[in-house]
Amino acid sequence: STESVMAQTRTAQDQQQSAPQAANTCLACHNNPTVTAIFSTPHGVGSIAGSASNGRGCESCHGASGEHASTMQSPAVVFGDGGGRFTASDVEIQNRQCLSCHQTTETVHWAASAHQSADLACASCHTIHVAPQTALIERTDSGLCLSCHLEQRSQLNRRSHHPVAEGLMSCTSCHNPHGSDTVALLSKSSITDTCTSCHTEERGPFLWEHQPVTEDCTTCHNPHGSTQASLLSVRQPFLCQTCHSEAFHPSSLYNGTGIPPAGAQQNLLGTSCTNCHSVIHGSNHPSGSRLTR
Amino acid sequence: QVSSVEIGLGYNSEDSYRSGQYTGLTQAGGFAVGGFSLLNQPDDADNRHWSVSGKNLGLESASLGATYGRWGSYSLSLDYTQLPHYRFNDGRTPFSGSGSQTQTLPSDWVGASSTSGLTTLTSSLKQVNIDTRRDRFTGGVEWQVSQSWRLMSEYRHETKQGNAPLAAIFGSTGGNPRGSIVARPVDYQTDEITVGLSYVKQGTQYNFSYNTIRFSNNDEALRFDNPFNNTQWLAGANFQDGAVGQIALEPDNSSHQFTFSAARSFGSSSASASVISTKLQQDDHFLPYSSVFSAAAPLPRQDLDAEVNSLVTNLNFSTRLNRRSTLRLRYNYRERDNKTAQDLYQRIPGDAAAQGGLVSSQTRVNRIYDLKRDKFSADLNYRFTGKTRLLASYEYKETDRSMVDVATTEEDTGFIRLSFAPSTNSSAWIKLTRSERRASTYDSTVPFIAGHNPDYVATLVGNQLFENDPLLRRFHLTDRDRDQLSANFNFFPSDEVSLSVLALLAEDDYPDAKVGLQESNKRSLSADLSYSPETSWQASIYYNYENYDNQQSGFARRGGGNPTPFYPESVRDSANNWSVDSEDDVYTIGAGVDWEFMAGKLDLALDANYTDAQTETRPFSPGITFLPLADVTTKITTLSLKSNYRLQPGRQLSVGYSYERYKSDDWALDGAGVNTLANILLLGNASPEYAGHIFQVSLIFDLQ
């Protein structure tokens, strides 16, 4: 049914059900902590329609399973991998059970999302029968994502990285795994909006804008981690020279003649081009057209 | 889940900013270990829940959180988090006032035309540490008003304080500036409020939200003394002794965003849509052209009064065509409309430099970058028998931009992805992607003309209308052919063992670029092997290799009074051509073990990672003298071991050890002292190198 949200108000009918009476039939066999932990979570609270203590009890999620109770056949809906005893239900059937309640702002774009089209089940990431009140995820969310996104796991260990491994950020700081209209499941409406929600000082609008900055931060930066400073995808000055080949220094060939002991080239040492063009994201100085002031 | 409190002590063996960059453990010595989690056990009759928690309380990365609410009715949350970022502490500068708006040189400072003549530099140097810290407070409330209506609101107040390197440039003639890298102040404040309302009923939902962000920078400008003077220097540069330079710091800004989204399911179909409208504004007062003298020409306006409006619209539709097929259609529209006024600004390259004439190359017009993008895509998902599925996708994207070299780009992207199960205990997919981006006429004169005084442009002809080499093709604007092949294989030989392998080959080719990026290629291979013989212990190892290869070309060009003929192509001297091949090789290997033994009394967690990154840069030219560049390398080894021992019911002893070894070589930093460059005073920080140990022991008390 798609009639209810998970968090519904108490109704008179709901109040007649007290946990875990609605699940008593199931608990006759399944009365162990790996199952009953759900009664310490919103999924087990009798006042919430669709919970295991309300109305249809465990069948709210597992479907009509009379045959299971009487003959030990598979429940109507088997989540996850079936635990080795039963064949898991089709992912679409599993997810339909969850989404019948979880219609929220976060899941509004699930139907056309990358994870949905990759046949990912809600139970691939979420574990319902565990005690923590909010996350319902066995591992920290970054560890969970990185168990599949192997490249990003490596990139987060590089010289320059956001503090994800350190626990100060998580994948969901930027991404919405439940679906998004933005590239890479970003929570904000664009890549630039995502980056500048924390780096608000770079929003401008500046008098002298740097055009790629206004369009897409990933033109120059790799947000998951880089072997170069400041999450740059390519080292300066070579990154800058892919777009700038004006006369004199922007068009010069920078090489070992500019490194001690052979030489000391100001476009190579220190912070390279940003030794001078330091306000590279934009300048609001009336003489800042070259992003130096 | 029970309430618990953790208290203990730790010891850090290493003085290193890099090792403690995100924890604040930058000094050797002891530290406190603290944390707590207090929560109630809601009963079904009154399902009120509350929790209070603290994490990393002995560290600078501490956080506190609290929640209160009633499941199914309302919830309140409060969080406070500190996010330090320590960058380096081996910088040196002759300036006093690091981290403040005003940076001054010693009274006995002796200026010179280059750093080698700065005779009082060495005696004036002081250590400078570069670091920032964010303090973030967030609060939220959610209220289930009725069965269908839900109201939410969030508030964020965040400060970021500290300092950061910035180039204090005094002026330049051509490519010969004089400047210093100094520690500029960072003193930001960001306030964000979001209010949302949603309605859900019978497969239909509507969401509306308003978000506003206000950013304030408490420092308007950085003012700095000039370490150089005009002795033996071009008169035009006018590096006056005693003159003070000034650079504008980021202006305050504010945004207002309205979002409306809707979704509806009907039968085997669903549709969703969203509209996001944003207004971003900025009206900070301009600094004067010069802090040294009154400019001959006044500013055209006192502030920018900038306004950028953006609009994003999305439409999605998905439907099950039959038992095997699903079709998804998507449309995305994005617009950036910069409403800011354009004016003539008579640029002064440095505060003491003379102002150029109105009809000259020194008079610039602020370019207005607008963007409009339409994107349409269709996906067809076909399910064969068994676990075999085919996903075919096509996307068309058209982007219009203003005041850049290319007015319109069109891009077609298609991919097919075949998922299948090679055996009963394995799964795999393979994906092939082809993308072609084509640009309308590449016209390098457009940004030049848009950025200069029209009266000045009218005096120019031919080659003079170019700023960039006309054969350059900016890689994000020009034609691009992209091919990608990726594959994934998952193997489960038993319930205990799983293997996952992911491989990627990607090639970007820029066929129209004679100057600029030619090719950008990536290869990667990742593998993860996990072993979980029983619930009490599991182990995994992973490996990743990535290779990035960028090939770019250039043409060394001189202009001014002794110009190098460069356009058309037939007049170019091929001896001035050059190329650079930049290649990154990164190897990462890691392992983790979680082990619970002694009948659950002792658990152990081990995590180890090793990253070896190498950047090789190969320059080449048929006519320009060149030498190879040394490789830039970074090797990072981390090891973490944590053990919890249950002393008695409700009490645990926790012992932790972590090790990090960081070794790097970087020619941009190593050997580049404060005065290595002739024209720029650097901070002289070296690439990090350390090996540090952290020990910690704590007691965890469960509170029943």
Side-chain angles (χ1 to χ4, degrees):
Chain A
S1 164
T2 56
E3 293 180 354
S4 55
V5 292
M6 189 199 80
Q8 289 192 358
T9 48
R10 190 182 290 254
T11 66
Q13 183 183 357
D14 297 336
Q15 290 174 27
Q16 292 170 6
Q17 304 286 340
S18 61
Q21 285 181 355
N24 272 348
T25 304
C26 305
L27 292 176
C29 294
H30 294 284
N31 193 5
N32 60 69
T34 59
V35 174
T36 57
I38 198 170
F39 298 113
S40 299
T41 78
H43 286 99
V45 171
S47 59
I48 296 177
S51 84
S53 298
N54 179 284
R56 297 169 57 206
C58 303
E59 290 186 339
S60 299
C61 298
H62 289 281
S65 301
E67 292 290 311
H68 171 69
S70 58
T71 66
M72 295 300 291
Q73 291 182 18
S74 171
V77 181
V78 179
F79 291 93
D81 60 5
R85 297 187 60 186
F86 301 116
T87 302
S89 298
D90 189 90
V91 166
E92 189 177 340
I93 293 171
Q94 293 185 44
N95 291 352
R96 189 185 304 150
Q97 296 297 96
C98 306
L99 292 167
S100 66
C101 291
H102 290 275
Q103 281 188 293
T104 65
T105 312
E106 289 73 28
T107 59
V108 68
H109 296 304
W110 170 257
S113 72
H115 283 152
Q116 194 271 347
S117 68
D119 244 2
L120 214 63
C122 302
S124 300
C125 302
H126 297 278
T127 304
I128 308 303
H129 291 265
V130 291
Q133 295 176 352
T134 52
L136 303 176
I137 294 173
E138 282 186 327
R139 304 166 65 176
T140 60
D141 58 355
S142 299
L144 180 78
C145 304
L146 298 175
S147 65
C148 288
H149 295 277
L150 302 178
E151 281 188 19
Q152 284 72 21
R153 180 163 62 177
S154 162
Q155 291 165 357
L156 289 167
N157 281 315
R158 290 183 186 163
R159 162 191 174 178
S160 174
H161 61 266
H162 279 112
V164 176
E166 290 81 358
L168 301 185
M169 288 181 70
S170 67
C171 302
T172 54
S173 299
C174 302
H175 301 278
N176 179 0
H178 299 113
S180 156
D181 274 327
T182 314
V183 63
L185 296 180
L186 291 174
S187 306
K188 304 291 183 184
S189 62
S190 69
I191 293 171
T192 306
D193 273 2
T194 303
C195 303
T196 58
S197 65
C198 286
H199 301 281
T200 38
E201 71 276 15
E202 312 294 9
R203 298 199 304 174
F206 297 104
L207 169 60
W208 308 105
E209 296 189 317
H210 194 178
Q211 191 270 334
V213 177
T214 67
E215 183 174 336
D216 183 352
C217 302
T218 62
T219 305
C220 299
H221 298 280
N222 180 353
H224 292 116
S226 170
T227 58
Q228 315 302 336
S230 304
L231 295 169
L232 290 176
S233 52
V234 176
R235 196 172 182 78
Q236 293 184 76
F238 309 109
L239 172 66
C240 307
Q241 288 186 302
T242 56
C243 284
H244 294 281
S245 186
E246 293 92 342
F248 297 112
H249 73 273
S251 69
S252 298
L253 171 62
Y254 294 105
N255 62 86
T257 60
I259 303 297
Q265 171 52 251
Q266 65 203 20
N267 300 101
L268 279 170
L269 302 183
T271 57
S272 186
C273 303
T274 48
N275 280 338
C276 299
H277 304 277
S278 57
V279 286
I280 199 66
H281 296 106
S283 168
N284 209 49
H285 192 293
S287 286
S289 60
R290 293 191 176 176
L291 306 183
T292 57
R293 301 188 65 190
Chain B
Q1 197 181 21
V2 296
S3 299
S4 64
V5 174
E6 180 180 19
I7 53 171
L9 292 171
Y11 176 76
N12 172 35
S13 73
E14 187 70 8
D15 283 324
S16 168
Y17 258 38
R18 175 59 175 71
S19 71
Q21 64 173 336
Y22 291 128
T23 61
L25 289 176
T26 58
Q27 305 281 320
F31 62 93
V33 175
F36 64 90
S37 174
L38 309 177
L39 68 164
N40 74 328
Q41 299 289 346
D43 59 54
D44 193 58
D46 180 19
N47 55 63
R48 290 175 206 279
H49 61 88
W50 61 263
S51 68
V52 185
S53 62
K55 198 169 76 171
N56 297 338
L57 295 184
L59 304 177
E60 202 177 336
S61 55
S63 62
L64 294 168
T67 63
Y68 178 78
R70 189 171 169 186
W71 285 331
S73 183
Y74 62 88
S75 69
L76 308 165
S77 64
L78 294 172
D79 276 290
Y80 169 72
T81 305
Q82 296 177 171
L83 297 97
H85 187 195
Y86 287 88
R87 297 176 64 179
F88 57 87
N89 64 342
D90 58 344
R92 289 174 300 155
T93 180
F95 287 91
S96 295
S98 284
S100 72
Q101 284 192 81
T102 304
Q103 313 242 342
T104 56
L105 291 165
S107 56
D108 61 350
W109 183 261
V110 178
S113 60
S114 67
T115 57
S116 61
L118 301 175
T119 53
T120 54
L121 173 66
T122 304
S123 61
S124 306
L125 290 177
K126 296 175 277 290
Q127 181 183 338
V128 59
N129 305 336
I130 301 296
D131 53 74
T132 56
R133 192 177 96 180
R134 292 175 188 262
D135 287 71
R136 179 181 297 160
F137 170 82
T138 57
V141 56
E142 290 187 12
W143 179 27
Q144 191 71 40
V145 181
S146 69
Q147 188 166 325
S148 296
W149 291 94
R150 182 167 166 255
L151 190 64
M152 60 77 65
S153 181
E154 290 177 348
Y155 173 67
R156 170 171 69 114
H157 171 76
E158 183 169 325
T159 59
K160 182 178 179 182
Q161 293 176 315
N163 60 17
L166 188 75
I169 297 300
F170 206 80
S172 68
T173 59
N176 297 297
R178 291 295 186 278
S180 315
I181 308 296
V182 299
R184 57 155 288 183
V186 173
D187 191 1
Y188 303 150
Q189 179 176 315
T190 300
D191 291 281
E192 177 176 10
I193 297 173
T194 304
V195 180
L197 180 66
S198 62
Y199 173 84
V200 179
K201 190 168 188 181
Q202 294 185 336
T204 301
Q205 66 167 304
Y206 302 101
N207 304 292
F208 173 78
S209 68
Y210 166 73
N211 170 279
T212 180
I213 300 177
R214 179 164 188 84
F215 166 75
S216 304
N217 187 349
N218 291 321
D219 298 305
E220 177 191 37
L222 176 73
R223 285 174 279 277
F224 48 93
D225 286 350
N226 174 25
F228 303 94
N229 61 29
N230 65 347
T231 307
Q232 301 173 346
W233 184 242
L234 296 173
N238 202 12
F239 295 119
Q240 301 171 21
D241 282 333
V244 175
Q246 191 161 252
I247 188 168
L249 300 178
E250 300 89 346
D252 297 353
N253 62 56
S254 62
S255 65
H256 303 274
Q257 183 176 78
F258 296 89
T259 301
F260 174 75
S261 64
R264 178 165 175 76
S265 300
F266 34 90
S268 58
S269 302
S270 65
S272 66
S274 60
V275 179
I276 304 159
S277 173
T278 310
K279 183 190 293 289
L280 176 62
Q281 294 170 303
Q282 185 270 110
D283 62 354
D284 259 18
H285 282 292
F286 282 143
L287 296 176
Y289 280 122
S290 166
S291 62
V292 175
F293 57 83
S294 296
L299 283 166
R301 52 198 303 133
Q302 297 308 306
D303 61 62
L304 187 59
D305 194 20
E307 180 176 313
V308 174
N309 297 327
S310 63
L311 177 69
V312 176
T313 304
N314 299 290
L315 301 172
N316 302 298
F317 175 73
S318 68
T319 184
R320 179 180 286 276
L321 299 175
N322 54 47
R323 195 170 58 86
R324 295 186 181 278
S325 308
T326 304
L327 176 70
R328 293 188 185 86
L329 303 173
R330 294 180 201 144
Y331 171 73
N332 167 266
Y333 175 74
R334 181 183 164 201
E335 177 181 313
R336 181 185 199 263
D337 182 12
N338 191 340
K339 297 284 192 186
T340 307
Q342 286 185 281
D343 283 294
L344 298 175
Y345 293 86
Q346 288 181 255
R347 172 178 175 268
I348 295 175
D351 283 85
Q355 191 169 36
L358 180 62
V359 184
S360 76
S361 64
Q362 297 301 304
T363 299
R364 304 300 298 266
V365 180
N366 54 315
R367 298 184 188 116
I368 301 300
Y369 296 122
D370 292 335
L371 180 140
K372 286 183 183 176
R373 175 172 292 158
D374 292 278
K375 190 164 69 174
F376 169 79
S377 70
D379 299 346
L380 180 65
N381 203 330
Y382 186 81
R383 190 184 296 267
F384 293 91
T385 55
K387 293 185 176 178
T388 304
R389 292 173 52 208
L390 182 69
L391 173 62
S393 175
Y394 168 76
E395 178 186 283
Y396 172 76
K397 183 164 67 178
E398 180 176 319
T399 308
D400 297 324
R401 300 174 178 87
S402 67
M403 301 194 187
V404 296
D405 314 80
V406 173
T408 303
T409 56
E410 294 178 275
E411 186 166 10
D412 298 278
T413 303
F415 75 79
I416 53 171
R417 173 178 151 141
L418 180 67
S419 307
F420 57 102
S423 64
T424 55
N425 58 1
S426 65
S427 65
W429 56 257
I430 185 167
K431 180 180 176 184
L432 184 63
T433 306
R434 168 74 179 178
S435 170
E436 291 182 0
R437 184 176 68 201
R438 292 294 175 262
S440 59
T441 305
Y442 198 102
D443 185 353
S444 304
T445 67
V446 172
F448 181 89
I449 292 170
H452 287 83
N453 184 350
D455 293 338
Y456 169 67
V457 171
T459 67
L460 305 176
V461 292
N463 284 352
Q464 295 172 312
L465 284 171
F466 296 113
E467 201 164 50
N468 254 320
D469 189 327
L471 297 185
L472 173 78
R473 296 291 178 267
R474 288 174 161 159
F475 69 93
H476 68 296
L477 300 174
T478 190
D479 295 359
R480 182 184 67 189
D481 294 333
R482 168 171 284 180
D483 293 288
Q484 288 185 342
L485 175 64
S486 53
N488 172 246
F489 176 65
N490 298 300
F491 181 46
F492 310 97
S494 69
D495 288 345
E496 293 86 23
V497 178
S498 67
L499 171 69
S500 181
V501 179
L502 177 67
L504 170 72
L505 283 174
E507 291 185 4
D508 286 356
D509 184 34
Y510 301 88
D512 199 31
K514 293 181 176 171
V515 172
L517 190 60
Q518 308 287 301
E519 285 183 37
S520 180
N521 302 323
K522 178 183 174 184
R523 291 179 291 155
S524 77
L525 176 67
S526 307
D528 181 283
L529 177 65
S530 297
Y531 178 54
S532 307
E534 49 191 287
T535 55
S536 61
W537 85 277
Q538 51 190 319
S540 67
I541 58 171
Y542 76 93
Y543 168 82
N544 174 266
Y545 166 69
E546 286 192 2
N547 171 277
Y548 302 88
D549 188 9
N550 288 284
Q551 296 168 27
Q552 64 189 98
S553 63
F555 177 78
R557 180 159 68 96
R558 294 186 64 82
N562 182 25
T564 304
F566 73 101
Y567 194 75
E569 190 178 5
S570 58
V571 306
R572 296 159 79 107
D573 181 356
S574 61
N576 285 351
N577 289 337
W578 56 261
S579 65
V580 169
D581 186 358
S582 307
E583 188 168 0
D584 280 2
D585 282 300
V586 191
Y587 301 86
T588 308
I589 187 164
V593 177
D594 290 305
W595 193 7
E596 183 182 288
F597 52 114
M598 292 176 66
K601 285 193 77 172
L602 179 66
D603 57 57
L604 196 68
L606 169 73
D607 187 55
N609 292 283
Y610 174 70
T611 300
D612 184 346
Q614 174 177 299
T615 300
E616 187 180 356
T617 309
R618 294 183 290 265
F620 173 78
S621 172
I624 302 170
T625 301
F626 69 90
L627 291 172
L629 284 157
D631 292 350
V632 175
T633 61
T634 310
K635 294 179 180 176
I636 309 170
T637 306
T638 60
L639 172 69
S640 142
L641 186 64
K642 188 166 186 185
S643 160
N644 281 359
Y645 180 70
R646 286 162 187 79
L647 298 166
Q648 60 189 72
R651 282 193 197 168
Q652 297 177 58
L653 174 68
S654 178
V655 178
Y657 166 72
S658 60
Y659 168 78
E660 182 167 297
R661 182 171 184 268
Y662 189 104
K663 191 173 187 314
S664 58
D665 292 302
D666 187 338
W667 43 252
L669 300 176
D670 302 326
V674 174
N675 59 351
T676 298
L677 296 177
N679 300 338
I680 307 283
L681 283 173
L682 299 174
L683 291 177
N685 54 298
S687 51
E689 189 158 339
Y690 60 86
H693 309 264
I694 295 175
F695 304 89
Q696 62 183 65
V697 58
S698 59
L699 282 169
I700 302 171
F701 301 91
D702 290 343
L703 307 175
Q704 298 298 332

